[in-house]
Amino acid sequence: MTLDEAKSPPVQSSNNMIELLREAAEDGPLTALRIGDRPCVLVTGPEQTQQVLARRPDVYVKRGHRARRLLGDGLISATGEPWKSQRRLLQAQFTVAGTKRWGQHIAAAAERIAHRWETAVTAATPVDVGQDMRFFALDTIWRSLTGAALDEVTQRELDAVDTVVASLPTTAGGASDPSLAVDAALRQIDITAHRVIASARAHRARETSDRSPTLLGLLLDASEGDPHYTDRLIRDELVTLLVAGHETTAQTLCWLFVLLDRHPDVHEQFLTAYAAAPDTARRDALLGALVQETLRLYPAVWLIPRHAAEDDVLDGHPVAAGTSVLVCPYLTHRIPALWPDPERFDPSRFLPGGERPTHPAAFQPFGIGARACLGQHFALRETVTLLRLLLPAYRPSLTPAPRTAVFGANLRPQGSLRATLTRVSL
Ligand code: HEM
């Protein structure tokens, strides 16, 4: 199909949206369509994805981020020079080396969940995998931000984040839920954030020496020399890191348990290979491959929207200024020419010698280019740290096994993930 013959079926929900996009993608790596009255281009080919996300970020920009109400001017929604300086400040904390300084927080949060699962298996009571993964991901980022473990009161207050996230439209320009509950949730988030900022500032005034590093401390340091870092911006960065840093990781871990539950043969192969692995490096490679294959099949950020700021020609097709450009990792990761037998759950694709495409945009669960995920090394470190404790020790069996995916602000399995645990003996 050409970009001039746009498809325009009705779109009522985000699950209808993926069906529309799936059908459109059959026409090739670049397809024109209409969503409501908006002209859109769906991009699934790796070459075209690289063009949009990495080579032409000045043309294909973020605009009117759908979560701006929640995230304000934090890193995800910031643009231009403010974005550059905000990214520069945080980047060093999230490189492979930089994330090492958060290792002890991640380990402590993982121990907490392992303890919960040990208690559950001993008492033969079920666990709620969804709740535990969410708590873990929130606890790791909260500890890295503040230096303290997540307490129950704050956890309950931060449920407000989920209320707001659930109200967000799937793409920029869609309508947000205007309900009073969302307004109240936003007020609650502001109260919690400003309380934490005030307490961190008071703590810093008391403890001038021997401060252990925290992300919030880094932002407060910045505010001392740079007037750009107002309390409002510190609130926005804090909320951005909390939101970006927990739901995505939690859903990835949830999908990993769903996939292992659906594919007992792969689970068994994994446990056998893990038990036979000669050292930690090989064991971590096996865990890493499981996480990567999960991210291939269920990339939590399944749609990456951009806005064409000017007229352009993309892969030989004119794209008019104002067009919404939708990059869809979920569909790219299922192109059979790139990923043979794409629906098959096969973590060995990501092991040394595994068959996978070499194009840098063929696998992009964290995006690519300058706006790629800040927290990707953090996410991989935390998932592997937790799985090192859980997978060799417990086998969760989901009751009932979830079947459906919900394509909302993030891609998540539908319903709760209650599981009974049995012990694994390696
Ligand atoms: C498995 C977990 C994660 C996935 C799949 C994921 C995915 C993504 C993707 C696809 C983007 C790019 C969006 C775009 O180009 O519009 C992104 C951006 C971002 N992510 Fe992640 N993310 C994950 C975990 C994290 C974590 C743990 C953090 C923080 C600790 C984080 C912080 C961010 C931030 C701040 C951005 C915006 C970067 C910018 O615009 O400069 N993410 N993420």
Side-chain angles (χ1 to χ4, degrees):
M1 177 182 188
T2 70
L3 293 190
D4 306 323
E5 307 163 41
K7 290 187 172 182
S8 57
V11 178
Q12 275 117 29
S13 74
S14 43
N15 272 29
N16 285 353
M17 168 89 109
I18 188 62
E19 288 320 317
L20 161 65
L21 298 183
R22 204 193 298 267
E23 195 193 313
E26 284 168 12
D27 293 334
L30 197 68
T31 315
L33 68 164
R34 284 192 165 273
I35 297 185
D37 57 0
R38 276 183 308 134
C40 296
V41 172
L42 170 67
V43 178
T44 52
E47 200 47 46
Q48 298 75 2
T49 297
Q50 195 173 25
Q51 191 75 5
V52 170
L53 293 184
R55 296 219 177 96
R56 309 295 305 275
D58 45 331
V59 175
Y60 300 103
V61 297
K62 287 191 171 189
R63 201 191 68 158
H65 196 280
R66 59 192 192 271
R68 186 174 280 281
R69 256 183 111 193
L70 173 63
L71 307 179
D73 294 323
L75 195 56
I76 287 189
S77 36
T79 53
E81 282 307 315
W83 167 77
K84 267 190 202 154
S85 74
Q86 287 167 231
R87 176 100 191 193
R88 211 176 302 123
L89 179 73
L90 289 172
Q91 185 65 56
Q93 312 301 319
F94 287 97
T95 56
V96 175
T99 51
K100 282 197 186 137
R101 66 174 64 92
W102 315 120
Q104 64 182 33
H105 293 314
I106 292 173
E111 292 286 352
R112 216 166 168 183
I113 299 301
H115 178 71
R116 218 181 252 186
W117 281 30
E118 181 55 30
T119 309
V121 81
T122 306
T125 50
V127 291
D128 187 322
V129 175
Q131 264 178 25
D132 287 350
M133 296 308 113
R134 182 176 175 276
F135 185 88
F136 165 70
L138 201 52
D139 195 19
T140 55
I141 191 69
W142 185 258
R143 286 170 190 256
S144 309
L145 278 161
T146 66
L150 181 64
D151 60 277
E152 268 180 38
V153 173
T154 313
Q155 187 209 351
R156 271 199 302 277
E157 289 174 359
L158 292 178
D159 282 346
V161 170
D162 290 354
T163 307
V164 182
V165 171
S167 76
L168 298 176
T170 307
T171 56
S176 286
D177 178 347
S179 76
L180 291 177
V182 175
D183 287 345
L186 284 165
R187 275 198 302 279
Q188 176 60 64
I189 293 164
D190 281 353
I191 291 168
T192 307
H194 287 300
R195 186 186 69 227
V196 172
I197 294 168
S199 126
R201 193 166 266 139
H203 181 73
R204 284 159 60 79
R206 283 194 308 273
E207 316 277 326
T208 44
S209 63
D210 195 27
R211 289 177 190 152
S212 55
T214 61
L215 290 166
L216 196 47
L218 181 85
L219 293 166
L220 290 173
D221 281 347
S223 73
E224 283 165 14
D226 180 351
H228 178 60
Y229 279 91
T230 58
D231 269 14
R232 181 71 208 177
L233 183 60
I234 296 175
R235 173 264 176 228
D236 291 349
E237 290 294 39
L238 175 79
V239 175
T240 294
L241 289 170
L242 274 176
V243 172
H246 93 275
E247 194 61 23
T248 43
T249 305
Q251 296 311 341
T252 303
L253 285 162
C254 285
W255 278 118
L256 189 142
F257 284 109
V258 169
L259 283 165
L260 290 178
D261 190 69
R262 269 187 206 160
H263 303 278
D265 49 333
V266 180
H267 195 170
E268 244 7 90
Q269 280 162 18
F270 167 81
L271 290 174
T272 309
Y274 198 86
D279 50 29
T280 310
R282 177 69 187 169
R283 284 194 286 277
D284 282 358
L286 289 164
L287 291 169
L290 262 187
V291 174
Q292 306 273 48
E293 178 68 344
T294 302
L295 282 165
R296 182 185 72 80
L297 282 168
Y298 295 104
V301 179
W302 63 280
L303 198 61
I304 305 180
R306 289 292 188 267
H307 172 85
E310 53 188 77
D311 290 347
D312 190 35
V313 176
L314 189 54
D315 202 25
H317 299 283
V319 175
T323 303
S324 291
V325 178
L326 303 174
V327 173
C328 188
Y330 178 85
L331 293 173
T332 306
H333 295 175
R334 283 174 160 72
I335 296 176
L338 297 171
W339 302 96
D341 199 359
E343 295 296 337
R344 189 159 52 91
F345 176 48
D346 179 5
S348 75
R349 297 180 206 260
F350 289 94
L351 288 173
E355 217 185 308
R356 57 184 181 276
T358 50
H359 196 289
F363 179 62
Q364 24 116 359
F366 295 107
I368 53 167
R371 307 274 330 218
C373 180
L374 175 80
Q376 55 183 294
H377 302 300
F378 188 99
L380 294 175
R381 179 179 277 270
E382 62 180 325
T383 45
V384 166
T385 303
L386 180 67
L387 295 172
R388 255 189 226 136
L389 299 182
L390 299 188
L391 288 187
Y394 313 103
R395 187 192 309 269
S397 172
L398 298 174
T399 47
R403 289 273 158 248
T404 325
V406 180
F407 292 83
N410 289 313
L411 175 55
R412 62 181 168 82
Q414 187 167 42
S416 79
L417 296 187
R418 282 170 74 79
T420 51
L421 299 179
T422 47
R423 283 189 201 280
V424 169
S425 50
L426 285 187

